[in-house]
Amino acid sequence: MDCEEVMLTVRISAAERALLRELARGHGSDVSEVAVDGLLDVIPALHGDAGVLGLLRVLARPAPCAVTLWLPVPVADLLPLLGERVTRAAGLRVAPASTALAAGLRLWLAGDPDRLAASLATMHAQGAQRLGAGSLGVAA
């Protein structure tokens, strides 16, 4: 049986968990969908060493809350690459995919909440436009 999603539990702070839930409510989605959108939003910013330093900073902060997320397999497949990036830049071994996911998600959640909400709105609007054009038989 093939799985289309992977379940991972990540550790984040209580404030980050509250923001994640608030963003999900604001966009009529669940926390897993918002986490995936956030991860896809932050990964391009991790190209340089400055992005990796941001990951290391968020990993150093306490994260007492556990949140279970469902990720599409292609997104989950990105997590070992993210962990390797941290390992190469800092010599810190981030073996579990859940640690890499938590780092990326926490880095994204550290941004301005208004900007995060606007980014989500843009991503969801683009998806709705593509979906709407496709349902009408119009080429996008």
Side-chain angles (χ1 to χ4, degrees):
M1 172 182 260
D2 288 333
C3 292
E4 295 179 15
E5 293 182 313
V6 174
M7 180 181 73
L8 290 172
T9 300
V10 298
R11 307 233 17 117
I12 61 177
S13 72
E16 291 163 341
R17 182 179 63 183
L19 177 57
L20 184 62
R21 288 177 176 169
E22 181 182 327
L23 289 167
R25 268 192 306 275
H27 291 282
S29 57
D30 61 32
V31 294
S32 293
E33 184 178 347
V34 170
V36 168
D37 289 344
L39 191 62
L40 294 175
D41 192 28
V42 79
I43 284 177
L46 301 176
H47 178 48
D49 288 339
V52 173
L53 292 175
L55 284 174
L56 296 175
R57 279 193 299 272
V58 298
L59 284 173
R61 293 193 316 250
C65 300
V67 176
T68 300
L69 303 170
W70 289 91
L71 305 177
V73 171
V75 174
D77 288 345
L78 295 173
L79 297 177
L81 300 173
L82 181 57
E84 288 174 18
R85 180 74 177 114
V86 173
T87 299
R88 277 195 311 263
L92 176 65
R93 181 82 176 126
V94 181
S98 60
T99 302
L101 171 59
L105 180 60
R106 294 182 77 198
L107 182 62
W108 182 71
L109 289 169
D112 175 49
D114 292 333
R115 191 198 69 74
L116 299 179
S119 177
L120 286 171
T122 300
M123 284 189 237
H124 287 251
Q126 290 172 349
Q129 287 174 348
R130 282 193 303 271
L131 186 61
S135 66
L136 296 174
V138 179

